[in-house]
Amino acid sequence: VASLKAMLYLGYRAIVAHPLKRLARRGTGLERFRAAYVDEGLAPVTPEDRAAALAAQECISCGLCETGCALAGADPMVRALGLHAAFRLYGRGPHELPLAAAALEACAGCAGCDALCPTGVPISRVVAQLRARAAAGVDASPADEAAPANPGIVSTA
Amino acid sequence: VTAPLEADVLVVGGGMAGAVAALAAREAGARVVLVRRSPGATALSSGAVGVAPGAAGRDAPLAALRGPVEAAQAHALRHPDHPYAVVGAALGALPEALAFAARALPLLVPALDRPRVLATPLGGAAAAALCQRSQASGDLLAARGPVAVCGFRGHLAFDAGLVAAGLARTARRGGPEAFAVEVDLPFDDPAARPHELARGLDAPGAAERLGEAVGAALRGRGAGVALMAPVLGLDGAARAAERVAAAAGLAVAETLSDVPSVPGLRLQAALEAALRAGGVEVVTGALAGPAIPGALVEVAGRVIRARAWVLASGRYVGGGLARRGTLREPALGLAVQAAEGREAGVHLALRPAASLTVRDRRAPQPLLSAGLRVDARLRPLDDGGRPVHPRLLAAGAVVGGHEQATDGTGLGVAILTGWLAGRAAAGGIA
């Protein structure tokens, strides 16, 4: 009986509900993609962003960069978090990037960290890239400058 | 166009293994160029040099721990792939190599016949062959009275109570009694990270004020040594630990360090100072493209030519091995071997890196012991088991066969193989 009910429900989804939903939906494919996936961190990225993300993946969170980092003047919360936290924040959804804005702003851009990374992450370049992205906001992702702001995305900025 | 930098020996890697190799080759009369990109695993080490775990069992008395050389020999017998076993009779040179490292790095105290038993920042006890002067009075086998573990009031990074409770367990194995106290930091900075605390204590007056606070907190408690967080100064020349001890009026020692490690940074700084003092030409940059000894290589715009090379580029942390799908040796493109693969006739290293871990946490992990396979003269071997080049040697963690991050032999292997490879690379020059 249970499997019959399940089959009926699946049939209803396939024959009635899904076609109706397809008829009702609006917007381009890209907009719908973004509405569905940006919150999960699957936003479209530029080739530069992608290159920076790949470089950042080499980070092993050893913290050696922090010894050359003059974050001492920054907010205590930012200092406690440290610079390499930026890499962990990097992989998250773009809607979380604004949360890292304070940490990213605290970077003086001295590039003292670059020579300290054992795995060769171009830290100052990654931080600069993240800053630009955080400053540009969530919706300024590539390839859809003409697209209207999507109400499905809640900006935390 | 500048003329190529001509040398007898090129060392790739500036951690413990590379620096010891460069200094040993220099001592043998060679002209040495050392190429390094950044600090690596040495700068993340505990700050002391463990040669081998001398354990006779978890609950065995501390006095039963084997001395460094004996422990290394026992370790080699149990682990036939370990570099200590691979070098064969050359393991007998370990005391000489350790003495060489202690001479080259004045911040280290020389090895004893017995191990030094030092407290970890989590209250454990670990055996070390060499340790820094700031750690030496923390030797649990030499403590003349109870250990007073001093935490910093309002600072969460070091839990004195935890360390004291851990040392109380060690007391049953013949260690000293321990108790915890809290002292005030000489400056108000509750969020300071370890290297910031250490820098703060380097400043004139700060270490003295901390020492006075320690002395006041321990007056009349009969403590033999005050054990503190491993943050007593970043600059070895500032001698912060000695200043704290002088002001406190009793022996003061640091525990071993977790990461981020101030003692590790001091050790790395000492290596760099020794390279400068020893007349080793240091070039900062990455080796561009595969080449072989004798060929011209370019590093950061400098063209270098050397007859013999020592590869001491480290494991994953140092960047000597990389996981890009499979395991690679990025500098020269040498063949990486994962343990157990040889016996099974399978090239484990060619499998995805993620498949090289096993679920049982205590079981050997092929991923963590992967590295170059070398012959007894430390020459890396290719897939067919032949030396890649007669004058290409490897030293330190890039040599596989041991889990250098966890088996307690990391810096010991670095010193032994670095010393052997440096002397071999310089051989026949002078």
Side-chain angles (χ1 to χ4, degrees), chain A residues 58 60 62-64 66-69 71-72 76 79-80 82-83 115-120, chain B residues 37-40 43-44 189 191-193 195-196 199 259-260 265 316-319 323-324:
Chain A
E58 300 276 317
I60 51 173
C62 68
L64 276 175
E66 295 192 13
T67 59
C69 179
L71 274 182
R79 274 176 60 201
L83 179 68
L116 291 172
C117 180
T119 58
Chain B
R37 185 169 61 193
S38 71
L44 293 165
D189 196 353
R193 295 168 285 166
H195 65 277
E196 291 167 345
R199 231 175 247 145
V259 289
L265 292 168
Y316 301 110
V317 169
R323 288 170 292 176
R324 307 220 171 95

Side-chain angles (χ1 to χ4, degrees), chain B residues 77-103:
Chain B
L77 282 179
R78 282 198 310 278
H79 301 90
D81 281 340
H82 194 284
Y84 287 155
V86 171
V87 298
L91 180 58
L94 183 61
E96 210 177 332
L98 289 174
F100 176 78
R103 267 202 317 279

Side-chain angles (χ1 to χ4, degrees), chain A residues 6-17:
Chain A
M7 291 303 288
L8 282 173
Y9 177 66
L10 284 174
Y12 159 77
R13 289 292 304 258
I15 296 160
V16 183

Side-chain angles (χ1 to χ4, degrees), chain A residues 3-4 11 13 16 20 27-29 31 33-34 43 58 74 92 109 114 125 150 152:
Chain A
S3 73
L4 184 68
R13 289 292 304 258
V16 183
L20 280 178
T28 65
E31 282 170 46
F33 176 86
R34 288 171 58 79
E58 300 276 317
R92 295 191 187 169
D114 283 349
R125 203 184 87 206
N150 194 318

